[in-house]
Amino acid sequence: MATQLDQLKEHTIVVADTGDVDAIDRLKPQDATTNPSLIYKAASMEKYSKMIDDAVASSNGDLSLAMDKVAVNFGIEITKIVPGYVSTEVDARLSFDTDATVAKARKIIELYKEAGIDKSRILIKIAATWEGIKAAEVLEKEGITCNLTLIFSIAQAIACAEAGVTLISPFVGRIMDWYKKEEGVDGYAGAEDPGVLSVTKIYNYYKKYGHDTIVMGASFRNADEIVELTGCDRLTISPALLDKLAESTDPINVKLDASKAADMDIAKIDIDEKSFRWMLNQDAMATEKLAQGIRGFTADIIKLENIIKAKIEA
């Protein structure tokens, strides 16, 4: 009997959500995603110290450049393993600055180019604020593909699609976390999980209205959430949960189906800056989790900066 992971791969492109290069090599996913928290975690491992030291040595004391090179060094190693996309995230502190986000993305792509990595292999990961989405719109027109992250609402998703973004990462587990606390419950059955319902709503809307933007569910807390999104374009999954899926042979069924979405009665929503900000404001969960996500990534960027700064000053 095929494992759940093998069954999932028949319907969905599986992506590894980690900065641990060895784990990616072991799991052999199609794509890989990183974020500041995952890079910080990997950078704290002794086995990856050379990548940090190389970034410091080649940056001539420039902390910003060293930080970019750390992220790119991990990305370079990952491109040697996965055949598809590698996501590299822009500094979360730029989440409300369109011009600075565009400039940082161009710099990251330039560093990859210097290493012989074509921009077609890289997704620039940007928080899905209005400013971040507008930055992605500029970058996509330049042929720089983007992954808009920290998606918690349909407003963010629609704005990304209308901006021509290549891929979005709607979060599942963090939505469940919020509702568990809000509703005072221990958890949800997979099909009733608020995070699963959010990604399903986004997927069906995209397929109903012919949006090409890839939906890649992210931030999973358990295997049930993943199984309930079988059929999604892509799912980015931690090594621990990929291992769990590989250990089970329970049958799984397709849950998301583009052909069925086409016939669904889904109202079209027009998004501009005013409606985007209003819809986000009216969604307490999305407002809180987007802000919290940006703060969390920022905190880990600062921790990583402190490691790099100490090496520069050593």
Side-chain angles (χ1 to χ4, degrees):
M1 181 70 183
T3 68
Q4 284 194 320
L5 182 56
D6 288 335
Q7 294 176 70
L8 178 65
K9 286 179 176 178
E10 289 179 14
H11 308 289
T12 292
I13 292 174
V14 171
V15 180
D17 195 22
T18 181
D20 186 339
V21 179
D22 288 347
I24 295 168
D25 192 30
R26 176 175 63 81
L27 294 161
K28 299 289 191 292
Q30 171 72 20
D31 303 339
T33 53
T34 63
N35 62 43
S37 302
L38 295 174
I39 292 293
Y40 167 67
K41 185 177 177 183
S44 304
M45 298 180 187
E46 181 60 34
K47 62 183 175 180
Y48 299 129
S49 61
K50 187 177 185 301
M51 280 193 254
I52 308 300
D53 293 340
D54 285 349
V56 170
S58 61
S59 61
N60 299 314
D62 184 332
L63 178 61
S64 177
L65 178 58
M67 289 291 288
D68 291 342
K69 287 198 168 190
V70 167
V72 169
N73 281 354
F74 276 94
I76 290 167
E77 291 306 308
I78 295 168
T79 63
K80 296 173 184 175
I81 302 166
V82 302
Y85 288 123
V86 174
S87 290
T88 298
E89 190 147 351
V90 166
D91 190 325
R93 292 170 293 189
L94 306 178
S95 295
F96 301 99
D97 189 331
T98 297
D99 291 343
T101 296
V102 169
K104 179 64 78 175
R106 288 172 180 157
K107 180 62 179 176
I108 290 169
I109 292 298
E110 181 187 318
L111 290 173
Y112 273 115
K113 185 178 180 181
E114 288 172 7
I117 309 292
D118 190 77
K119 65 183 178 183
S120 63
R121 295 293 314 280
I122 307 303
L123 288 174
I124 294 295
K125 207 169 173 191
I126 301 168
T129 58
W130 181 258
E131 294 80 3
I133 294 166
K134 292 292 107 179
E137 188 170 25
V138 171
L139 294 165
E140 291 281 358
K141 287 173 181 173
E142 296 177 5
I144 297 173
T145 48
C146 299
N147 169 358
L148 273 284
T149 190
L150 296 174
I151 301 267
F152 298 101
S153 73
I154 191 73
Q156 290 172 289
I158 295 170
C160 288
E162 293 182 351
V165 167
T166 295
L167 180 149
I168 63 165
S169 296
F171 281 33
V172 179
R174 295 193 194 191
I175 291 178
M176 182 190 72
D177 294 343
W178 191 91
Y179 279 100
K180 276 172 62 177
K181 183 178 177 182
E182 179 73 10
E183 297 178 356
V185 298
D186 293 329
Y188 301 88
E192 298 166 2
D193 186 304
V196 169
L197 295 176
S198 176
V199 175
T200 300
K201 180 179 181 180
I202 290 167
Y203 176 90
N204 287 334
Y205 186 95
Y206 273 21
K207 303 314 175 189
K208 170 76 176 180
Y209 290 104
H211 291 302
D212 293 329
T213 299
I214 297 164
V215 180
M216 182 174 72
S219 166
F220 294 103
R221 296 291 180 259
N222 56 63
D224 285 348
E225 290 178 326
I226 297 165
V227 169
E228 286 297 329
L229 291 172
T230 300
C232 194
D233 299 331
R234 281 168 164 79
L235 297 175
T236 186
I237 305 168
S238 69
L241 286 174
L242 287 170
D243 287 338
K244 188 160 188 180
L245 290 168
E247 291 164 5
S248 173
T249 55
D250 290 347
I252 63 176
N253 300 306
V254 174
K255 302 290 185 174
L256 303 187
D257 186 332
S259 63
K260 291 180 180 176
D263 297 325
M264 290 181 180
D265 184 17
I266 302 171
K268 194 168 192 314
I269 301 171
D270 294 316
I271 295 284
D272 58 13
E273 182 176 357
K274 290 176 184 176
S275 59
F276 174 90
R277 294 192 187 283
W278 179 251
M279 287 176 69
L280 200 59
N281 179 76
Q282 293 303 96
D283 187 332
M285 177 276 296
T287 297
E288 186 176 322
K289 298 309 288 186
L290 174 59
Q292 186 183 70
I294 292 169
R295 288 196 302 270
F297 285 158
T298 297
D300 284 330
I301 288 167
I302 292 169
K303 289 178 195 171
L304 182 56
E305 274 187 343
N306 289 336
I307 293 173
I308 303 300
K309 202 181 295 181
K311 287 181 177 285
I312 289 174
E313 294 170 355

